[in-house]
Amino acid sequence: MIQLSGVTKRYKSLTAVQQLSLEVPKGSFLGLLGPNGAGKTTLVEMIEGLQVPDEGEIRIDGLNWKEHGQQLRKLVGLSLQETRFMEKVTVKETLDLFASFYNLPRSRSDEVMQMVELQEKSKTYTVQLSGGQRQRLALAVALLHKPALLLLDEPTTGLDPHARREIWYLLQQLHQEEKTTLVLTTHYMEEASYLCDRIVIMDKGQVLADGNLRQLLNTFAPGEYIEFKTPLPMSLSKLEKLQGFMSLLPAAEPGFVRLKVKESAIALPPLLSLLQSESAELLSLECRKSTLDDLFLNLTGRRLEE
Amino acid sequence: MALAAVLGFAFSKSSPEKEIRVAWVSSDQPNDLNERLREISTVRLSMATESEALTLLKRGKVDIIIRQLGDSLVFAYDPQHEAAHQAALQIELSLLKGTNTVQIPLKREVIKQSGMRYIDFLIPGLLAMGIMNSCLWGIGYTLIDYRIKKLLRRMVATPMPKTTFLASQLITRGLIAAFEFMVVYLFAYFLFGVVVQGNWLAILVLFASGIFAFSGMAVLIASRAANSQIGNGLINAVYLPMSIVSGIFFSYQGFPDWMVSIIQWLPLSLLADHIRMVFNEGASLDQVAFPSLLLGMLGLICLSLGLKIFKWY
Ligand SMILES: Nc1ncnc2c1ncn2[C@@H]1O[C@H](COP(=O)(O)OP(=O)(O)O)[C@@H](O)[C@H]1O
Ligand SMILES: [Mg+2]
């Protein structure tokens, strides 16, 4: 569906996107994950034809913006990072207006309004919408002309968890029922983990890692974490003998011990019996799998969400 | 800064030193009365026939007409026009004071005829300013606002042609401005008896060319501004000077000649002067054709320049 080769975009001395190549097959749900300033917006806006790359080539369904702009505009649906609409215009009027831009009948705006469940807000001014409702309106506008490719720039940033879930639900439906090819950008790792069948991690205008969640974690952030608290000091030599032990990590607070192991289900029973034999009281215990954040930390030394 | 300078000028002109522009109408040869008037340092006297004097007054080129009728001097002006009233008092005072007082009686004539009063001067100017207002703020501000909200960007991502978008802005603005125009006009008509003596078609042509000129300017002004302060500043930089110097509230004839020769070609002056001509002097379509053409061309130049550098994203 999308082919990028060697795409570069510079702003004066800053290179926002650097020699980026990527192929997105039809029907995939791709997440572009990266911290603020990674170049996600610049990249999707180049795919949307709103910015022109300084170098490289972008093809969508074999078409390019220079020659096939009008065809592509019909193919691509998009929501921008933080679009605001005309304030004293209602939801329905906004949709009708955009429907007219695509030469679509007004009945279509009712359909999309239903899809994003904004019927009750039909006569509400756009300024009076909540953040989540506004994002759903932006999504509805993007869906008007039934695009085969949908590009969403941070569709859930700044939303509360409930509103975020609602958007996630809508996107999953689109992906499964309409077979729309979806690309979304986010700096929330849960969002990418939960929704996307393929995650591209970006930083400083480049791709750091690319694959589905399993592959990425196995390759770049193997292992799981066990963290516990006990009043007695634990000796490294004994911990090292645990099955699947990988490393001892600096603990967040004194009294805590942080271990990285291959699989916590295997390492945990011997750890518990070790503690018992030392008659060390267990004050707290926590296990977690590694996340995209750990992966990002491993790759860049920085955290994803800050 | 420029604004302060302009305001300073405007203020200095309303001080007591302000030049008084007078039309002198007399069947006699220039005589000593005439000389006496000339001696008053602030008076600028234009010799005129009766009909010339009326035109000068209608165009704001003079504030007072002084006629020598038999053995009296008649001061004709609209007392509602504060500047004219002050000027008349000042002239009377200078003629009567000193050793060499004027012996003949001084009379006043209140100008009441429609087309010659201050309100007849004011209303066409306000109508012209309304057109400028509506376009610069209406279109200029809307475009900048849409850009800030990323709505422009969102709209050009649809298959709708950009020209359609701009044309719709222009048409919407034209309709709104036409409505505003009629409200002000009807108000002036019923309350003050301000009437259009000339051709309504000429008004329509001027109106359309004004809308086009100021819409073009609005597009140019808004072509790159990316935040509302810059946008506001740019619009004000065009809007404020013109609304002050272009002879809306007081005639720009009071400015030094070199400035007048520039000011009269400003788009707002062109529009206001000619709307005024149609209202008060009954100007015909031919008489407004040239200024309308100029305004139209200005609009076209601004529009094409604006579109060339327009930032949609
Ligand atoms: N119009 C612009 N002018 C200059 N620099 C820009 C512009 N847009 C983005 N940048 C810079 O390019 C980098 C990438 O930005 P962006 O694509 O918005 O990142 P993201 O969407 O991942 O947060 C950032 O460092 C940003 O400051
Ligand atoms: Mg962004």
Side-chain angles (χ1 to χ4, degrees):
Chain A
M1 187 93 205
I2 310 175
Q3 283 148 321
L4 304 176
S5 54
V7 171
T8 299
K9 179 80 189 178
R10 293 185 200 89
Y11 297 115
K12 301 204 177 86
S13 60
L14 183 135
T15 307
V17 174
Q18 197 171 357
Q19 286 295 326
L20 196 142
S21 300
L22 194 66
E23 192 140 332
V24 184
K26 258 200 174 66
S28 46
F29 194 156
L30 177 84
L32 277 173
L33 178 68
N36 274 326
K40 306 181 296 292
T41 297
T42 309
L43 181 64
V44 289
E45 290 195 349
M46 285 191 288
I47 301 173
E48 291 160 355
L50 293 174
Q51 299 201 44
V52 183
D54 296 321
E55 284 167 32
E57 202 182 30
I58 298 177
R59 289 189 166 272
I60 302 170
D61 250 9
L63 307 173
N64 65 51
W65 282 104
K66 215 166 157 186
E67 292 162 51
H68 315 102
Q70 215 52 2
Q71 272 160 282
L72 283 176
R73 271 188 268 276
K74 290 183 185 142
L75 195 75
V76 177
L78 58 107
S79 81
L80 300 167
Q81 196 174 339
E82 312 166 46
T83 316
R84 286 172 294 157
F85 293 94
M86 283 161 266
E87 285 161 11
K88 292 285 166 167
V89 172
T90 65
V91 168
K92 169 72 171 141
E93 288 162 354
T94 302
L95 287 169
D96 285 344
L97 179 70
F98 275 93
S100 75
F101 294 166
Y102 290 100
N103 284 322
L104 295 167
R106 291 183 172 202
S107 56
R108 179 62 189 158
S109 50
D110 293 320
E111 283 172 35
V112 288
M113 203 149 54
Q114 214 136 43
M115 286 172 77
V116 301
E117 291 174 10
L118 277 178
Q119 309 96 300
E120 289 133 62
K121 299 285 165 188
S122 153
K123 294 198 174 65
T124 308
Y125 287 144
T126 61
V127 261
Q128 287 160 350
L129 295 178
S130 70
Q133 289 162 347
R134 206 165 306 161
Q135 282 294 354
R136 295 214 303 270
L137 175 59
L139 188 60
V141 169
L143 294 176
L144 275 167
H145 59 299
K146 301 185 180 165
L149 171 63
L150 192 56
L151 296 147
L152 308 170
D153 197 0
E154 307 213 3
T156 68
T157 296
L159 300 190
D160 61 70
H162 177 70
R164 183 170 301 160
R165 292 263 156 200
E166 284 178 342
I167 302 242
W168 286 0
Y169 173 72
L170 285 170
L171 296 182
Q172 277 181 321
Q173 279 204 316
L174 275 172
H175 180 54
Q176 282 156 15
E177 282 160 30
E178 315 277 330
K179 306 290 173 228
T180 310
T181 308
L182 276 142
V183 176
L184 75 80
T185 75
T186 181
H187 60 262
Y188 298 120
M189 59 168 184
E190 308 99 301
E191 183 159 283
S193 315
Y194 180 79
L195 283 176
C196 303
D197 53 30
R198 178 173 164 205
I199 299 167
V200 169
I201 299 180
M202 275 186 80
D203 188 40
K204 299 186 172 156
Q206 287 173 308
V207 173
L208 287 184
D210 178 355
N212 68 32
L213 187 64
R214 268 298 98 230
Q215 294 164 342
L216 285 175
L217 292 178
N218 285 340
T219 319
F220 298 101
E224 300 179 4
Y225 296 85
I226 301 175
E227 188 171 65
F228 60 93
K229 189 175 182 182
T230 168
L232 293 178
M234 298 297 298
S235 72
L236 179 61
S237 58
K238 284 183 182 149
L239 289 171
E240 271 175 346
K241 296 204 181 74
L242 292 173
Q243 207 167 354
F245 173 90
M246 290 171 73
S247 60
L248 181 68
L249 299 166
E253 283 170 62
F256 279 90
V257 179
R258 255 181 101 189
L259 295 174
K260 193 172 178 186
V261 296
K262 281 212 181 73
E263 228 176 300
S264 47
I266 295 173
L268 213 45
L271 174 66
L272 291 176
S273 43
L274 173 70
L275 288 167
Q276 206 154 34
S277 67
E278 304 253 319
S279 57
E281 192 190 349
L282 193 59
L283 296 174
S284 77
L285 174 70
E286 215 175 288
C287 298
R288 68 173 180 87
K289 302 195 175 240
S290 59
T291 63
L292 290 171
D293 199 31
D294 299 312
L295 178 153
F296 195 79
L297 190 68
N298 288 350
L299 290 176
T300 66
R302 287 174 287 129
R303 296 210 155 272
L304 198 53
E305 293 171 35
E306 250 157 28
Chain B
M1 278 309 285
L3 183 64
V6 169
L7 280 173
F9 242 118
F11 260 99
S12 73
K13 285 291 160 188
S14 58
S15 66
E17 283 306 299
K18 187 182 191 306
E19 187 177 72
I20 303 170
R21 285 163 286 111
V22 176
W24 173 262
V25 181
S26 168
S27 43
D28 295 354
Q29 291 301 308
N31 51 28
D32 61 327
L33 271 174
N34 200 294
E35 271 315 304
R36 281 298 305 279
L37 277 174
R38 279 187 199 284
E39 278 163 17
I40 305 171
S41 64
T42 51
V43 167
R44 187 153 129 192
L45 210 58
S46 314
M47 312 298 273
T49 64
E50 179 65 26
S51 72
E52 283 167 355
L54 294 183
T55 305
L56 289 175
L57 188 76
K58 284 174 178 175
R59 293 184 184 175
K61 292 192 171 174
V62 300
D63 295 329
I64 307 170
I65 299 175
I66 300 180
R67 298 192 189 89
Q68 190 178 14
L69 281 180
D71 53 0
S72 64
L73 276 187
V74 182
F75 288 61
Y77 63 91
D78 178 3
Q80 300 293 326
H81 185 9
E82 191 52 34
H85 187 58
Q86 291 301 328
L89 290 180
Q90 218 187 317
I91 295 176
E92 286 176 8
L93 217 63
S94 340
L95 289 180
L96 294 174
K97 86 176 170 205
T99 48
N100 181 15
T101 56
V102 175
Q103 296 305 327
I104 66 168
L106 304 179
K107 292 183 182 162
R108 286 193 199 155
E109 177 196 321
V110 173
I111 289 183
K112 288 193 285 233
Q113 305 95 297
S114 161
M116 299 194 53
R117 301 160 303 170
Y118 180 58
I119 192 82
D120 297 310
F121 178 85
L122 190 61
I123 293 296
L126 289 181
L127 290 170
M129 196 162 82
I131 294 174
M132 173 173 83
N133 241 343
S134 203
C135 294
L136 288 187
W137 291 105
I139 294 186
Y141 203 80
T142 304
L143 290 179
I144 294 168
D145 185 49
Y146 284 9
R147 181 180 296 117
I148 295 168
K149 290 187 173 144
K150 296 199 185 179
L151 254 179
L152 268 187
R153 197 191 278 237
R154 188 61 192 80
M155 284 180 182
V156 296
T158 71
M160 171 201 47
K162 294 168 188 169
T163 44
T164 309
F165 171 70
L166 284 178
S168 74
Q169 286 288 325
L170 203 119
I171 291 166
T172 317
R173 201 35 62 185
L175 292 177
I176 294 172
F179 175 75
E180 292 166 346
F181 188 101
M182 286 318 292
V183 168
V184 175
Y185 172 70
L186 290 175
F187 183 76
Y189 174 79
F190 286 113
L191 243 63
F192 304 112
V194 173
V195 289
V196 175
Q197 297 179 8
N199 191 338
W200 267 100
L201 201 59
I203 295 280
L204 186 69
V205 168
L206 280 171
F207 176 84
S209 58
I211 289 284
F212 193 66
F214 289 114
S215 299
M217 289 176 76
V219 171
L220 181 60
I221 291 170
S223 60
R224 298 192 75 82
N227 71 55
S228 49
Q229 281 101 326
I230 295 180
N232 263 326
L234 283 175
I235 294 175
N236 270 322
V238 173
Y239 166 83
L240 278 178
M242 277 207 280
S243 58
I244 290 167
V245 305
S246 280
I248 304 305
F249 300 100
F250 58 89
S251 168
Y252 58 75
Q253 300 294 337
F255 287 110
D257 287 343
W258 66 269
M259 280 181 75
V260 171
S261 64
I262 298 169
I263 292 172
Q264 63 181 342
W265 296 106
L266 292 177
L268 183 60
S269 317
L270 274 179
L271 190 60
D273 288 351
H274 289 89
I275 291 182
R276 202 173 281 139
M277 263 175 75
V278 181
F279 266 74
N280 299 336
E281 297 172 40
S284 65
L285 202 53
D286 319 345
Q287 282 168 287
V288 303
F290 182 62
S292 302
L293 194 70
L294 282 183
L295 288 170
M297 265 160 49
L298 175 74
L300 203 63
I301 292 170
C302 288
L303 194 65
S304 43
L305 207 65
L307 283 182
K308 202 159 263 175
I309 60 170
F310 203 88
K311 240 168 68 182
W312 291 95
Y313 321 122

